[in-house]
Amino acid sequence: MRPIVTLMTLAALALPAQAKVIASWRVTEFGVQERGLKLLSGADGETELIGKGGSRCATTRAGSAFLYFQATPEAASLRGPAYLTVEFYDGSPSGGPTAHYNSDAGTETADRYRPSEDAAGASALGLLKWRTASLKLERPRFQRLQNLSADFRLAGMPLFVRSLRLDDARPANWAKLGRLTAADLKPLAKIGAGGELIVGGWDPTTRADAAGSANAFAANAPALKRLGVTSHESYVRWNLCETAPGAYDWSVYDRYVATYRKTGLKWVPFLIVGPPYAIPNWYYNSPARQGYVCLEHGETSDVESLWNPAMRGHVSRFIRAFAEHYRESGVIESLLLGITGNYGEAIYVATPNQDWTNQTHGPYHSHPGFWAGDKYAVDSFQQAMRAKYKTIAALNAVWKTAYAGFEDVKPFIPAKSSLPDRAKLDFTGWYIGSMNDWARFWMTETRAAFPKAEIYLCTGGHAPPEHGSDFGEQCKIAASVQGGVRITNEASNYALNFALTRWVASAARQYGAYFSFEPAGGVSEKGVVARVYNAAASGAKGLHYYSDNILRTEGATGVWLKNAAFFQQRRPLTEVGVYYPETDIQLHGARFLDAAEAVRPRMDFAFISDGQISDGGLNGVKALFLLQGTVAEQGTWQRIADWVRAGGLLIAPAGLAPLTAVEGEPAALTPLLSPGAETGKGRVLLFNGPPDSEEYRAFLSASLAAAPELSPSTRAAIAKSAEDGLFRTVFPNGKILSYDAEAGVIR
């Protein structure tokens, strides 16, 4: 049969009479035929020959991403437009092949790796057969300027190629190659009704590369439909839209909208204004610009300060202009708001290293820390303290200071200050409150422009005070405009993901906001499954992957297809909560998440912060346990005590140390923690030992498995659990969804 396959291959590549074959390359059962093109191997393009789909072909080795080719001098004389016809094996849904080639535009990186401008048939759909694609090279000038002295390279996830042909004219079957049937696009996976599966990628960095990026997305869009994806997220950068003050050009994103309409995919535009990679040159170079200033070094970052009053007008105008152009487009699934920070999350400058965010204006000052040193921030802090204390004498009495006036009160680094805890909380409260005010402004402005759309606030990190993020309050703000929160901090480990995202999930459920999860970067194949489980076990509405998370390998695509159906929109039965010690974290740092992660194998539970407790959050649980944090506002301790007396079950470790209010007085909860204390209708169980021990975790699970306060299904799930890598979540109907972390299996 193999000779027949070879003959069929030759027939499939037959050319119209007017086209001229400039060069070709082919793998056959007898070896490699090189006629003007040579396959290279090395660097990020290590290759090997294997069998696939009944034929020999070239593919990339593990860790490599490209197939590099070099043209002979005769073939290199070709000028554009030219067409590269590729035979590839369509083994799983992915983008199929695309090309990056040496162009005549210059010798910059973008010119040496110019993406093919158009394509036909270049969508891999998992049809399990050999297919043909044709890629247009508009401006080729092969000068061996790529890695390995290559002239062009093929990219795709994954690549299996058995032949190439370089022509000087468009193939006569171009239209036929790009024609897809309804059967070709039939989804291979289906998520729960009402769920949102979002994939991000193929974003342009400049207006010059917009066409290539949009074409690459168009080639991948059919594969996304096959995978059950509901929407594509694109970074809508301020600098790619407002080309001059008040002058908007939406052509970059109109290209994507055309593909959404053609394929039926929806759009999640990520509106980004403050991060440095999205700031237009005309604003970056203007006197109105003001970046955050770090308190540690006094240096300015390229991330725009949220305290700069000029930014509110720019944000409002940008949102309104975007709405006027796209509100009635019919393609928007939801809007994601990138309000500040290095990347767009609702956090301050946080990344310690230079990365792709400096691609627009170059390297900039960036590190974790407090960023409240610009003139607008200082003024805001002084106004906030004046509003709270009214007189400088009143502030001095509380802070134990001797300031002459409020103009002497400046932002400070709490860990390096000898000021009392109340002063530190005044600063962190203002710092976090400023981020909340900025988030509220963005959400309110967007709701006014999009009265009926889903709107997500983008947030991230792990909520240390330096980030300025109060996930509970952010969910409350989102709910106030019938919106939601996207948290962007997941990895591949389920227990870690639980700890990182559970505050958002818990607060969103309490306040009535919807929510979605996004990874911080790369995800392993097991991580694909772990993220499905976390979304399903949390009740998330949306689940976001970057394109290579599920398209990178056949294995990643396969585990997604196998587990996609578990992503159902169900509210879990969460009767147990842990006190999230928000005030203590502001004073002493974020030490809580590691401890919470360690408890998760034993049980599922909600996070309940000081703010949530103030808003009645304890009413949603029947049992609460303490894990970390010894300092809180007296009102928080009193509400916990009142909840216990009303019938709640509290579990606490004696080794947590004395609980106190901010000013140092004993906590109102303390009397309930003594043996034989009067606890009203509730109960208090004390563990004689430290909170960060396996013994305490075992005490928790044994106590809760026998607790009459909990439902039989919750008690049964806890009774079955141990620190064995098997996680369980209970739903109101009594059904249990489990995840085996070692095997990477959901049941």
Side-chain angles (χ1 to χ4, degrees), residues 232-514:
H232 169 246
E233 178 188 315
S234 63
Y235 283 46
V236 180
R237 305 184 185 195
W238 182 22
N239 61 328
L240 300 187
C241 303
E242 192 173 359
T243 55
Y248 292 93
D249 181 345
W250 302 105
S251 58
V252 169
Y253 301 100
D254 286 346
R255 294 183 174 95
Y256 290 85
V257 170
T259 299
Y260 303 140
R261 287 174 171 155
K262 181 179 179 181
T263 61
L265 283 171
K266 292 296 185 180
W267 185 22
V268 178
F270 186 17
L271 306 183
I272 308 167
V273 174
Y277 64 90
I279 296 176
N281 286 332
W282 59 262
Y283 180 76
Y284 185 83
N285 296 316
S286 75
R289 175 175 162 266
Q290 174 61 64
Y292 290 117
V293 175
C294 77
L295 296 182
E296 184 175 358
H297 309 101
E299 294 194 34
T300 302
S301 172
D302 275 4
V303 183
E304 190 68 14
S305 170
L306 61 79
W307 293 285
N308 182 356
M311 283 301 290
R312 294 204 171 215
H314 288 297
V315 169
S316 295
R317 287 187 291 273
F318 180 72
I319 291 172
R320 287 198 301 269
F322 180 85
E324 288 169 5
H325 191 75
Y326 290 116
R327 184 171 46 229
E328 306 303 326
S329 65
V331 301
I332 294 176
E333 180 179 75
S334 65
L335 297 113
L336 182 64
L337 306 185
I339 71 173
T340 189
N342 299 84
Y343 307 104
E345 293 104 337
I347 61 177
Y348 295 103
V349 182
T351 184
N353 300 310
Q354 294 298 328
D355 59 12
W356 62 268
T357 61
N358 66 24
Q359 64 192 197
T360 303
H361 302 293
Y364 61 94
H365 192 60
S366 179
H367 56 77
F370 288 98
W371 294 80
D374 69 80
K375 60 184 179 181
Y376 302 114
V378 173
D379 181 65
S380 173
F381 182 57
Q382 291 170 346
Q383 289 185 40
M385 295 305 98
R386 187 187 299 273
K388 177 175 181 177
Y389 288 102
K390 306 300 191 278
T391 68
I392 195 65
L395 180 144
N396 283 332
V398 174
W399 284 27
K400 314 299 183 190
T401 51
Y403 294 125
F406 283 102
E407 64 275 8
D408 297 325
V409 180
K410 303 290 176 62
F412 57 91
I413 300 174
K416 296 183 178 181
S417 172
S418 60
L419 289 172
D421 283 353
R422 178 57 64 193
K424 295 176 181 178
L425 289 173
D426 282 341
F427 169 70
T428 58
W430 161 80
Y431 192 68
I432 294 168
S434 295
M435 183 63 70
N436 289 336
D437 289 343
W438 188 233
R440 186 177 294 106
F441 167 73
W442 266 82
M443 294 292 280
T444 302
E445 290 290 301
T446 308
R447 176 54 71 206
F450 289 89
K452 298 179 181 179
E454 288 187 7
I455 304 169
Y456 285 88
L457 174 69
C458 183
T459 195
H462 58 289
E466 292 87 344
H467 285 188
S469 51
D470 178 336
F471 295 157
E473 189 65 21
Q474 288 176 355
C475 288
K476 185 177 179 180
I477 291 167
S480 72
V481 297
Q482 297 78 52
V485 171
R486 163 89 66 82
I487 187 159
T488 64
N489 57 7
E490 283 197 298
S492 295
N493 178 290
Y494 165 67
L496 172 62
N497 289 346
F498 165 85
L500 290 170
T501 62
R502 185 46 61 110
W503 190 10
V504 165
S506 302
R509 290 198 298 267
Q510 176 178 337
Y511 294 116
Y514 40 84

Side-chain angles (χ1 to χ4, degrees), residues 415-694:
K416 296 183 178 181
S417 172
S418 60
L419 289 172
D421 283 353
R422 178 57 64 193
K424 295 176 181 178
L425 289 173
D426 282 341
F427 169 70
T428 58
W430 161 80
Y431 192 68
I432 294 168
S434 295
M435 183 63 70
N436 289 336
D437 289 343
W438 188 233
R440 186 177 294 106
F441 167 73
W442 266 82
M443 294 292 280
T444 302
E445 290 290 301
T446 308
R447 176 54 71 206
F450 289 89
K452 298 179 181 179
E454 288 187 7
I455 304 169
Y456 285 88
L457 174 69
C458 183
T459 195
H462 58 289
E466 292 87 344
H467 285 188
S469 51
D470 178 336
F471 295 157
E473 189 65 21
Q474 288 176 355
C475 288
K476 185 177 179 180
I477 291 167
S480 72
V481 297
Q482 297 78 52
V485 171
R486 163 89 66 82
I487 187 159
T488 64
N489 57 7
E490 283 197 298
S492 295
N493 178 290
Y494 165 67
L496 172 62
N497 289 346
F498 165 85
L500 290 170
T501 62
R502 185 46 61 110
W503 190 10
V504 165
S506 302
R509 290 198 298 267
Q510 176 178 337
Y511 294 116
Y514 40 84
F515 59 97
S516 62
F517 297 158
E518 176 180 322
V523 175
S524 68
E525 291 180 11
K526 281 188 179 179
V528 171
V529 185
R531 296 195 61 241
V532 171
Y533 182 74
N534 192 35
S538 301
K541 183 179 182 68
L543 180 60
H544 170 286
Y545 288 96
Y546 288 103
S547 57
D548 65 350
N549 295 156
I550 55 176
L551 296 177
R552 179 182 67 255
T553 65
E554 288 183 311
T557 303
V559 295
W560 162 253
L561 292 174
K562 183 178 180 180
N563 292 278
F566 288 112
F567 180 38
Q568 303 286 328
Q569 284 58 58
R570 298 173 290 180
R571 187 184 180 104
L573 179 63
T574 312
E575 299 178 302
V576 178
V578 63
Y579 169 50
Y580 182 88
E582 189 174 0
T583 300
D584 194 272
I585 287 171
Q586 290 184 37
L587 291 171
H588 305 125
R591 300 172 293 116
F592 170 81
L593 295 183
D594 289 344
E597 179 183 347
V599 175
R600 178 58 184 94
R602 298 275 185 175
M603 70 194 74
D604 196 5
F605 53 94
F607 285 12
I608 307 176
S609 67
D610 302 56
Q612 290 170 260
I613 290 173
S614 180
D615 290 333
L618 290 174
N619 296 331
V621 295
K622 298 178 179 180
L624 180 76
F625 64 94
L626 305 185
L627 195 57
Q628 293 283 343
T630 60
V631 181
E633 298 290 356
Q634 193 66 278
T636 298
W637 295 130
Q638 186 63 59
R639 291 182 184 94
I640 296 175
D642 292 344
W643 170 81
V644 171
R645 293 189 177 101
L649 169 62
L650 177 68
I651 304 177
L656 194 57
L659 306 181
T660 68
V662 174
E663 273 69 34
E665 68 271 26
L669 182 62
T670 299
L672 275 69
L673 303 181
S674 302
E678 174 55 49
T679 59
K681 297 179 181 179
R683 294 194 296 147
V684 175
L685 300 178
L686 295 176
F687 170 72
N688 187 24
D692 56 349
S693 64
E694 184 177 349

Side-chain angles (χ1 to χ4, degrees), residues 48-259:
E48 61 181 337
L49 300 181
I50 66 169
K52 192 75 172 179
S55 293
R56 298 287 291 171
C57 66
T59 189
T60 52
R61 293 183 184 273
S64 290
F66 306 104
L67 294 178
Y68 285 94
F69 289 87
Q70 186 182 85
T72 62
E74 294 77 14
S77 64
L78 175 69
R79 295 294 178 264
Y83 292 83
L84 189 62
T85 299
V86 184
E87 268 198 308
F88 69 99
Y89 186 73
D90 184 358
S92 64
S94 69
T98 187
H100 306 137
Y101 68 96
N102 284 180
S103 73
D104 63 7
T107 58
E108 297 297 321
T109 300
D111 305 321
R112 293 184 287 113
Y113 294 90
R114 185 183 181 96
S116 46
E117 285 81 2
D118 202 357
S123 297
L125 303 172
L127 300 179
L128 304 180
K129 64 181 182 180
W130 286 95
R131 295 177 53 215
T132 302
S134 185
L135 312 173
K136 184 180 181 181
L137 315 183
E138 185 70 42
R139 302 173 60 179
R141 187 174 182 182
F142 297 155
Q143 303 176 74
R144 300 184 177 180
L145 298 179
Q146 295 188 354
N147 281 356
L148 309 177
S149 299
D151 292 302
F152 66 86
R153 69 186 185 187
L154 295 180
M157 300 179 285
L159 279 172
F160 301 100
V161 175
R162 72 179 181 188
S163 72
L164 291 179
R165 190 188 68 233
L166 190 62
D167 306 330
D168 65 354
R170 187 163 119 169
N173 62 344
W174 175 273
K176 183 178 180 181
L177 290 175
R179 195 174 298 133
L180 298 173
T181 67
D184 291 336
L185 296 176
K186 182 179 179 180
L188 299 172
K190 186 177 182 180
I191 63 173
E196 298 168 351
L197 176 62
I198 311 106
V199 168
W202 309 286
D203 289 298
T205 58
T206 66
R207 296 184 66 84
D209 64 15
S213 298
N215 288 339
F217 166 66
N220 281 269
L224 299 183
K225 290 289 288 184
R226 289 277 278 175
L227 292 173
V229 172
T230 64
S231 57
H232 169 246
E233 178 188 315
S234 63
Y235 283 46
V236 180
R237 305 184 185 195
W238 182 22
N239 61 328
L240 300 187
C241 303
E242 192 173 359
T243 55
Y248 292 93
D249 181 345
W250 302 105
S251 58
V252 169
Y253 301 100
D254 286 346
R255 294 183 174 95
Y256 290 85
V257 170
T259 299

